[in-house]
Amino acid sequence: ALSCTRMTAPLVPARLELAPDGTPVSERYVDVYHSIAGGHAQARHVFLGGNGLPVRWRGRASFSLLETGFGLGLNFMATWLAWRSDPQRSGRLEFISVEKHPFSAADLAQAHLAWPEFAPLSTALCAAWPELVPGEHRIDLDEGRVVLRLLFGDACEIMASLDASVDAIYLDGFSPAKNPELWSPAVCRQLARLAHPETTLATWS
């Protein structure tokens, strides 16, 4: 279907589960969130590099990204750190991320221990983490220069009411074989609606 079906199911949070080697896994989707070893490098290569970042945000007043699947926030923190480290960064960074099964702040903080380079970012993010209820939650970071808009709920339904024009898209849901809903024609149509002619897209899948 190319249209979104309205859903009334309550939000079901994710629970942090680790494989024997420490890799975070999803029992619901029988898939990994990412590898512990090299997860940050993978985020930089696949998602930032795949969208031509940080070059594309340089000299701009604002740059906006949309992500399908916030997960443990690795892509967000990798993007935030790269933006912070770039002296030619845009004046403002807006990061919109959809998540049907968000983690608690405690689970995020525990998972983030695997990446000490994100420690100050994780502390700020977890301190501002919202209550796990459906809808949009806005977090202002770096004195308002970084805006994280978290959309908790079904991707197709919640993006249908999103008013935005994004410069880059991170497709980072679980694989299409494990989570086909996030790769449906209806979701892709919403992504197209939120894009403009210069928008880029990257995915590992």
Side-chain angles (χ1 to χ4, degrees):
L2 293 181
S3 61
C4 300
T5 302
R6 292 197 60 82
M7 302 180 67
T8 56
L11 199 66
V12 179
R15 185 180 63 190
L16 184 62
E17 298 174 87
L18 303 176
D21 66 353
T23 300
V25 297
S26 169
E27 191 175 79
R28 177 177 287 106
Y29 293 106
V30 195
D31 204 351
V32 299
Y33 282 92
H34 42 68
S35 61
I36 283 292
H40 183 189
Q42 178 182 316
R44 290 198 311 266
H45 175 71
V46 174
F47 294 103
L48 278 88
N51 280 291
L53 301 173
V55 173
R56 289 182 58 231
W57 64 41
R58 289 178 176 165
R60 296 185 49 165
S62 181
F63 194 87
S64 178
L65 301 100
L66 171 65
E67 175 186 50
T68 56
F70 186 81
L72 292 165
L74 176 60
N75 289 335
F76 169 65
M77 292 191 298
T79 303
W80 184 11
L81 183 60
W83 180 88
R84 259 191 169 190
S85 304
D86 185 1
Q88 301 178 64
R89 62 183 175 266
S90 58
R92 183 172 178 269
L93 181 70
E94 180 185 49
F95 196 102
I96 305 167
S97 191
V98 179
E99 180 54 61
K100 188 175 183 179
H101 302 291
F103 284 98
S104 67
D107 277 352
L108 290 177
Q110 181 182 342
H112 294 170
L113 294 175
W115 302 287
E117 66 269 31
F118 294 140
L121 308 186
S122 173
T123 298
L125 174 63
C126 293
W129 195 246
E131 184 180 356
L132 302 186
V133 295
E136 179 173 337
H137 306 269
R138 175 180 170 133
I139 300 177
D140 292 313
L141 301 158
D142 263 341
E143 299 178 337
R145 294 173 299 168
V146 175
V147 176
L148 173 61
R149 296 172 64 185
L150 292 165
L151 309 180
F152 289 164
D154 176 78
C156 188
E157 179 184 351
I158 203 160
M159 284 196 298
S161 60
L162 178 62
D163 181 15
S165 177
V166 301
D167 302 301
I169 297 173
Y170 295 175
L171 288 181
D172 193 31
F174 292 113
S175 72
K178 304 290 180 66
N179 186 21
E181 289 180 7
L182 199 52
W183 305 86
S184 68
V187 167
C188 290
R189 195 171 81 162
Q190 290 302 324
L191 294 173
R193 181 183 67 81
L194 297 166
H196 57 75
E198 302 300 320
T199 301
T200 58
L201 178 151
T203 180
W204 56 268
S205 183

